[in-house]
């Protein structure tokens, strides 16, 4: 990860933007509810690329962008599973 307060702030900003991207993915997934699984997988890969590219442009580090992307995806997955168990 990046050292210093500026690096931490950049990672936090990238993380928050990625959470917004994953929310957009959830909306797109919900709107394409009856599509085959292959299209949902392709949509996920596109959103993953967008999230990674955004993080890379913010933090200017391949390693930090990878860590932030994996972390935001893990948080999104945990929230998704938690809400699906809570609602249904």
């Amino acid at each position: 990860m990046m050292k210093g307060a500026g690096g931490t702030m950049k990672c936090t900003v990238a993380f928050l933007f990625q959470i917004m991207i994953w929310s957009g993915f959830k909306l797109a997934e919900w709107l394409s509810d009856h599509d085959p699984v292959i299209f949902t997988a392709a949509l996920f890969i596109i959103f993953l690329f967008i999230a990674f590219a955004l993080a890379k442009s913010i933090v200017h580090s391949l390693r930090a962008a990878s860590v932030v992307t994996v972390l935001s995806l893990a948080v999104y997955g945990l929230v998704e599973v938690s809400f699906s168990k809570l609602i249904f």
Side-chain angles (χ1 to χ4, degrees):
M1 294 292 286
M2 300 176 69
K3 295 183 180 180
T8 304
M9 184 61 73
K10 286 181 180 181
C11 288
T12 304
V13 168
F15 177 82
L16 292 174
F17 275 124
Q18 284 186 345
I19 292 299
M20 286 187 254
I21 289 172
W22 295 127
S23 298
F25 168 72
K26 184 62 182 171
L27 176 65
E29 184 183 32
W30 176 69
L31 289 173
S32 63
D33 188 34
H34 300 293
D35 286 349
V37 176
I38 189 73
F39 294 130
T40 304
L43 188 68
F44 174 77
I45 290 170
I46 291 168
F47 273 82
L48 181 65
F49 176 76
I50 292 170
F52 178 76
L54 178 74
K56 176 96 172 62
S57 70
I58 292 173
V59 298
H60 302 294
S61 168
L62 186 65
R63 183 177 179 192
S66 300
V67 169
V68 169
T69 303
V70 168
L71 184 64
S72 71
L73 185 57
V75 168
Y76 165 75
L78 288 174
V79 169
E80 178 72 22
V81 168
S82 298
F83 281 141
S84 69
K85 298 287 183 188
L86 184 69
I87 293 173
F88 300 108

